[in-house]
Amino acid sequence: MASGEIIETIGTTDKTNGGVSRRGFIKGAIASGAAVSSSAYVFREQIGVLAQSPALGAVERLITLNVNGQSRRVDVAKQETLVMTLRYKLGLTGTKIGCDRAECGSCTVLIDGLPHYACSVLTHNVRGRAIQTIEGLERPDGTLHPVQQAVVDEQGFQCAFCMSGFIMSATALLEENPNPTRTQAAEALSGNLCRCADYNKILDSVMRAAEYTRGA
Ligand code: FES
Ligand code: FES
């Protein structure tokens, strides 16, 4: 059973045994990693329990993220990038990995409303921030976001691998400026690359999305 499943299974009961919280013990074990050394613990004679004292540099791995308006508990290694957490821990595969080194924009998500490359953000650094992925754009009733609808209407992409990144960047642009010029739109999307070089149709989509946004 994976460590995340163990937490799901027994982490909900917070019974204490001799003063040691069951949940606290498990969280401490995960925080310090599977190969933790006994030297990472300090024996506190005065209270007669083993206290968790993670080795220097260790971080708590079981954290809560705010993704698409929901609180998500997830087990995250300290060096893990946000795109890996979103895709492989939370199943949000709409966010793509292209270059994995801050060059292509395929992994763009919004953090507190601003576009970021999720391949270059450590997940631990976005605790408490509002993360939005392409899965969070559609309304609960299934209505597409204006940018999504415009992409459908303009058939703005070819292979569409770059699409979710462009849509997230365009969403941030229109939040800030619902009436951009084509040049302003091109500048706002300059951090996103399209290998199919479909830029004219992408810009057509953004300009159509701006119309929809103003209409709404
Ligand atoms: S995958 Fe993140 S910028 Fe290319
Ligand atoms: S449509 Fe193929 S990479 Fe952009």
Side-chain angles (χ1 to χ4, degrees):
M1 182 180 287
S3 58
E5 292 173 297
I6 293 171
I7 290 298
E8 273 308 310
T9 306
I10 59 179
T12 51
T13 55
D14 198 13
K15 295 173 184 166
T16 58
N17 183 5
V20 180
S21 160
R22 184 177 175 80
R23 175 180 293 178
F25 176 81
I26 294 166
K27 286 169 65 178
I30 285 181
S32 51
V36 66
S37 143
S38 61
S39 63
Y41 293 89
V42 176
F43 186 68
R44 293 184 179 170
E45 286 182 314
Q46 66 274 29
I47 56 174
V49 297
L50 283 173
Q52 291 76 55
S53 178
L56 194 63
V59 294
E60 184 175 9
R61 290 181 50 156
L62 188 60
I63 63 174
T64 302
L65 297 176
N66 176 355
V67 183
N68 297 330
Q70 294 184 324
S71 292
R72 304 288 302 267
R73 292 287 276 170
V74 61
D75 178 9
V76 178
K78 74 174 180 178
Q79 76 281 9
E80 189 169 310
T81 58
L82 181 58
V83 73
M84 299 300 281
T85 306
L86 292 171
R87 287 181 57 84
Y88 302 114
K89 300 283 180 64
L90 300 179
L92 298 170
T93 54
T95 302
K96 305 301 183 196
I97 302 175
C99 64
D100 206 15
R101 51 189 235 184
E103 289 181 353
C104 73
S106 302
C107 62
T108 303
V109 299
L110 303 188
I111 300 174
D112 292 338
L114 296 177
H116 288 265
Y117 295 152
C119 70
S120 302
V121 172
L122 291 178
T123 306
H124 277 275
N125 288 348
V126 294
R127 282 182 287 180
R129 315 271 300 273
I131 302 157
Q132 190 172 29
T133 70
I134 191 150
E135 290 89 347
L137 291 184
E138 184 183 280
R139 286 196 205 140
D141 67 1
T143 304
L144 293 179
H145 185 279
V147 179
Q148 293 174 305
Q149 188 60 56
V151 166
V152 171
D153 294 346
E154 291 288 340
Q155 299 187 10
F157 293 88
Q158 293 187 45
C159 77
F161 187 83
C162 64
M163 182 176 67
S164 45
F166 270 100
I167 287 177
M168 298 314 291
S169 293
T171 298
L173 164 68
L174 297 180
E175 274 295 319
E176 187 188 338
N177 176 12
N179 192 20
T181 63
R182 199 171 175 91
T183 301
Q184 288 171 329
E187 285 173 1
L189 301 183
S190 60
N192 294 77
L193 302 180
C194 173
R195 289 160 186 78
C196 302
D198 215 12
Y199 293 108
N200 265 331
K201 297 206 76 172
I202 293 169
L203 287 174
D204 288 346
S205 301
V206 175
M207 300 313 287
R208 174 78 76 107
E211 287 173 29
Y212 292 165
T213 302
R214 292 195 298 273

